[in-house]
Amino acid sequence: TVGLLNNVTKPFGDAAIAAMSVVNRFTMFILCVGLGIGQGYQPVAAFNYRAKEYNRVKKGLTVTMGLGFILVSLIAIPGFIFAKEIVTAFQKNPEVIEIGTYAIRWASVGAMFLPLSVPVNMLYQSIRNVKVSSFLSLMRSGLAFIPVLVISTQFLGLVGIQISQPIADMVTGLVSVPFTLHFLFKDHSKMN
C-alpha cells in the first residue's frame, strides 16, 4: 500500500511525497501500539477460548479495546494538537509542513478507530475463524484503503490522498463493530 500511495502522490510533487512519508511514520507508530496491545491479548483469548472460558475471552476483549483506546488517545490527541511540530521535526520545507500537518490531523482522528478493529481481528485469529480474521485484516490495507484512495484522489486531489488512510481506518473500525457485538452476545457454550 505504501508503493501505491507513493505512486498516487507522485503527480503532486516532492513536497507531497515527503509529507506523506512523515505521516506514514506517525501512523505506523500508533498502529504499532495498537498491534502490540492486540498481540498481547491473543494468547489470553486463545487459551481461554480453548478452555471454554468464554466470559474471560469476552471480558479480555472489552478490556483490551478500552486499554487500546486510552493508549492510542495518548498519542493521537497530542498528534492532532501538535501536528505542525511533528512534521517540522522531520522536515523544514513550508509546503511539506502544510501538507503534513493537515494529513497528521486526519491520521490522528482515524487512529481513534484502531481499537475497534485491531483487537477484534486478533480475537478471530486466536479462535481460528480464518474467514473473519482474513476479512478484517484485508479491510484496513486493501478492501477499504485502495478504493478510498482511488476515489478520493480522483475527486479531491491531494486532500483525497491526505484523508484516504484515516477514512479507511474509520471504515475498518465501523465494519468491525458487528463482529465484536456478534462475539460478545453469542452463546458460545452451545457450540460444543
Side-chain angles (χ1 to χ4, degrees):
T1 57
V2 173
L4 175 63
L5 183 64
N6 284 340
N7 284 335
V8 174
T9 307
K10 195 179 283 186
F12 297 97
D14 292 340
I17 293 171
M20 294 311 295
S21 175
V22 172
V23 174
N24 283 337
R25 285 183 219 148
F26 175 77
T27 304
M28 285 306 298
F29 179 69
I30 296 177
L31 182 60
C32 286
V33 171
L35 288 174
I37 294 164
Q39 288 174 342
Y41 170 63
Q42 271 187 306
V44 174
F47 177 81
N48 284 293
Y49 192 82
R50 304 282 178 278
K52 298 181 171 60
E53 295 287 346
Y54 305 116
N55 285 334
R56 286 186 188 171
V57 179
K58 292 176 182 182
K59 184 177 180 183
L61 177 62
T62 56
V63 167
T64 301
M65 291 175 88
L67 179 63
F69 183 76
I70 291 167
L71 292 176
V72 166
S73 296
L74 290 174
I75 302 167
I77 292 170
F80 186 91
I81 295 168
F82 300 108
K84 184 174 183 177
E85 289 79 5
I86 292 168
V87 180
T88 304
F90 293 96
Q91 293 281 336
K92 304 300 181 211
N93 180 321
E95 189 179 1
V96 173
I97 293 168
E98 182 183 345
I99 294 167
T101 299
Y102 184 77
I104 282 186
R105 287 199 172 121
W106 268 93
S108 297
V109 173
M112 301 299 282
F113 288 79
L114 290 174
L116 291 175
S117 60
V118 173
V120 179
N121 182 12
M122 299 296 183
L123 165 70
Y124 280 99
Q125 287 179 30
S126 299
I127 65 172
R128 297 183 182 171
N129 188 326
V130 178
K131 290 179 183 175
V132 173
S133 67
S134 297
F135 171 71
L136 293 176
S137 291
L138 288 170
M139 278 300 297
R140 180 180 190 271
S141 297
L143 296 176
F145 175 66
I146 293 171
V148 169
L149 177 64
V150 171
I151 293 167
S152 65
T153 304
Q154 184 73 30
F155 290 102
L156 301 172
L158 180 58
V159 171
I161 293 168
Q162 292 168 302
I163 67 173
S164 58
Q165 187 64 66
I167 289 175
D169 289 339
M170 292 175 198
V171 169
T172 303
L174 295 174
V175 165
S176 300
V177 170
F179 293 100
T180 304
L181 296 175
H182 174 75
F183 183 84
L184 290 175
F185 294 108
K186 183 177 182 179
D187 185 358
H188 297 275
S189 61
K190 292 182 179 178
M191 295 171 37
N192 298 309

